[in-house]
């Protein structure tokens, strides 16, 4: 179950990163509130996950889901640049996440 909590924590990291961008430096109320709620939920789920998962594994996967997810959201919804080096970097992060999961004994 810890892995499920961890994945949802990572997805919520993507949510709060997107809405932080939409908050315009916390100057817009609704995106700011969504950011703060998603942050608290993400941190809470991460805290539950690290009760049984190794800290290094959980934190790496949490930030990796957030990084790759924010990268994808940026391209799809914010019109951010797509380039071969950025795509390769995202694939390397994904490969690292897979290796981290496979090397975990949980």
């Amino acid at each position: 179950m810890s892995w499920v909590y961890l994945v949802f924590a990572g997805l919520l990291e993507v949510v709060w990163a997107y809405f932080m961008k939409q908050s315009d430096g916390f100057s817009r109320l609704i995106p700011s509130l969504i950011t703060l709620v998603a942050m608290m939920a993400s941190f809470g789920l991460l805290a539950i996950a690290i009760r049984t998962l190794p800290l290094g594994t959980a934190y790496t996967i949490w930030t990796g889901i957030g990084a790759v997810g924010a990268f994808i959201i940026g391209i799809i919804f914010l019109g951010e640049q797509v380039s071969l080096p950025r795509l390769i970097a995202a694939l390397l992060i994904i490969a690292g996440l897979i290796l981290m999961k496979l090397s975990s004994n949980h």
Side-chain angles (χ1 to χ4, degrees):
M1 196 65 187
S2 293
W3 287 103
V4 173
Y5 291 136
L6 183 60
V7 169
F8 278 110
L11 294 174
L12 284 168
E13 187 181 3
V14 177
V15 170
W16 69 252
Y18 173 76
F19 280 99
M20 183 184 291
K21 175 76 170 171
Q22 300 306 307
S23 77
D24 196 27
F26 290 105
S27 65
R28 297 177 57 218
L29 180 61
I30 299 300
S32 297
L33 291 175
I34 294 170
T35 299
L36 294 173
V37 169
M39 279 180 168
M40 289 187 299
S42 180
F43 291 140
L45 290 172
L46 176 62
I48 292 168
I50 63 173
R51 286 180 182 165
T52 57
L53 296 176
L55 173 63
T57 300
Y59 188 77
T60 300
I61 291 177
W62 180 67
T63 57
I65 292 170
V68 173
F71 169 71
I72 292 168
I73 293 297
I75 290 170
I76 293 172
F77 294 107
L78 303 174
E80 294 179 0
Q81 174 190 10
V82 179
S83 67
L84 185 59
R86 292 184 83 212
L87 290 172
I88 292 170
L91 290 173
L92 288 171
I93 293 170
I94 293 167
L97 296 177
I98 292 168
L99 185 57
M100 186 66 72
K101 167 62 174 113
L102 293 175
S103 67
S104 174
N105 56 0
H106 287 88

